Amino acid sequence: MESNYQEAPTFFEDPVDVYFHFLPPGYRFAPTDAELIIYYLQKKILKQEPPLNKIREIDIYLYHPQYLAETQSNRDGEREWYFFTPRERKYLHGSRPNRTQRSGNGFWKVTGKDEVITSAAGERIGFKNTLDYFEGTHSENQKTKWKMHEYRLKKSERDEEIAPSNNEKAQRDMKLDDCVLCKIYTSNRCKVGKIIKRSKSTSAKRSFNSDPNRDVQHEYQDQDCGAHPSGPVNNFSNQTNTYDIMLSSLEEEVRAFDHWLANETATKKRIE
């Protein structure tokens, strides 16, 4: 099936842009989390006609967020940009999304747990993730001011977090979701972080401590920037110390066992 997602985000002024341009001052496209899911994402996936909106269809992982923002037509005062985008798998048979920019010059990283989105009636309708954008690679990177809210639908009571294409398509391609809704924005509270360089040994420890089904939490470079200013760094440090102690204890036990085995072998030879 031919994709609707643009290869290059070149946006021209269309009737929707004209419509929003001529709204009275103070009127902007700023739906709530629940409205984004019910009236836009859900209708998009069900192939229903949504209300007029400023949500573009594009694969956001092809571009730097700065470029996506600059090519959008916005009214004065608007600092949020909305996109429908597909997601790909990080691994062929996994459910973890690949959040690396295709050019390899940056990546998005989750900053906390999924937030459950409910309707006015209290019904669970979807989930929201908050992400930070880092320039560079996973081994050497710098945190930026760019942030993103990623919205996805709840599938069912039995399988709430499986993406729309996580069924028979999973065996044929790398697509994880046909469509999620993303809101990209900048945070005035965020300060650009320092460049982080990680050695192979540090990467190995992070891999050992991380949950393979979720994104690894990044160290926050500025406590004013991020959802959990003190948790992830301290927790990681405590976990590392714990595993170091466990490994040290295990090595001592192995040495003691080797010593015992050597003595037993020597005793047996003397008896023989």
Side-chain angles (χ1 to χ4, degrees):
M1 183 177 67
E2 184 178 353
S3 175
N4 293 325
Y5 295 98
Q6 302 177 30
E7 294 184 358
T10 304
F11 303 132
F12 301 95
E13 189 172 88
D14 57 25
V16 174
D17 293 327
V18 174
Y19 169 80
F20 281 100
H21 178 75
F22 284 102
L23 287 175
Y27 283 82
R28 296 183 177 87
F29 184 72
T32 64
D33 292 342
E35 289 169 342
L36 284 171
I37 290 177
I38 295 173
Y39 297 107
Y40 299 99
L41 179 57
Q42 181 171 276
K43 286 181 178 292
K44 172 69 176 175
I45 291 177
L46 296 178
K47 301 186 184 304
Q48 298 175 355
E49 189 68 26
L52 283 177
N53 61 79
K54 301 195 70 173
I55 308 174
R56 305 293 186 178
E57 294 185 14
I58 190 169
D59 188 342
I60 65 170
Y61 294 103
L62 292 175
Y63 308 99
H64 191 286
Q66 178 74 40
Y67 184 58
L68 293 172
E70 289 176 349
T71 52
Q72 274 267 35
S73 174
N74 290 292
R75 306 186 72 190
D76 292 339
E78 288 185 330
R79 296 295 181 266
E80 299 173 346
W81 301 270
Y82 298 84
F83 302 94
F84 288 125
T85 186
R87 294 195 307 175
E88 291 186 356
R89 304 174 190 277
K90 189 174 182 68
Y91 307 107
L92 179 59
H93 299 294
S95 59
R96 184 176 174 181
N98 182 8
R99 302 188 187 279
T100 302
Q101 189 180 330
R102 303 291 188 268
S103 63
N105 296 327
F107 58 92
W108 291 95
K109 205 68 179 178
V110 175
T111 63
K113 296 182 179 180
D114 292 348
E115 179 182 341
V116 176
I117 306 301
T118 58
S119 66
E123 179 187 2
R124 181 179 297 189
I125 57 175
F127 302 92
K128 178 177 78 172
N129 271 339
T130 301
L131 303 93
D132 289 327
Y133 186 78
F134 290 78
E135 293 178 339
T137 64
H138 288 276
S139 59
E140 183 175 348
N141 56 72
Q142 184 177 24
K143 187 176 181 179
T144 70
K145 63 181 180 179
W146 293 98
K147 299 180 76 70
M148 176 168 71
H149 287 164
E150 179 187 82
Y151 300 89
R152 64 188 194 278
L153 283 180
K154 164 191 161 185
K155 282 295 293 177
S156 68
E157 291 298 333
R158 292 182 55 195
D159 205 3
E160 293 179 344
E161 299 200 52
I162 297 300
S165 55
N166 263 16
N167 40 43
E168 69 276 359
K169 291 185 181 180
Q171 305 302 321
R172 302 200 304 266
D173 58 34
M174 293 292 288
K175 183 177 288 187
L176 178 63
D177 298 272
D178 293 320
C179 181
V180 296
L181 198 163
C182 297
K183 177 175 74 174
I184 294 177
Y185 63 100
T186 58
S187 174
N188 294 329
R189 296 177 58 193
C190 286
K191 298 177 183 178
V192 176
K194 297 179 181 179
I195 296 177
I196 303 175
K197 292 185 179 181
R198 294 190 176 90
S199 63
K200 291 184 178 179
S201 60
T202 303
S203 299
K205 283 185 178 180
R206 283 188 175 275
S207 177
F208 180 71
N209 288 322
S210 63
D211 182 348
N213 294 320
R214 291 193 56 81
D215 291 318
V216 179
Q217 301 299 320
H218 263 273
E219 299 180 53
Y220 293 96
Q221 302 307 308
D222 176 31
Q223 290 195 351
D224 292 333
C225 186
H228 305 282
S230 61
V233 177
N234 293 334
N235 289 341
F236 175 74
S237 176
N238 292 337
Q239 289 178 3
T240 302
N241 293 336
T242 301
Y243 284 119
D244 287 343
I245 295 172
M246 292 172 60
L247 290 173
S248 177
S249 177
L250 180 61
E251 289 173 355
E252 290 179 2
E253 292 181 8
V254 170
R255 285 195 296 269
F257 176 78
D258 289 341
H259 181 70
W260 173 84
L261 183 61
N263 290 337
E264 287 293 312
T265 303
T267 302
K268 185 176 181 180
K269 287 182 178 180
R270 287 197 300 270
I271 294 174
E272 292 175 350

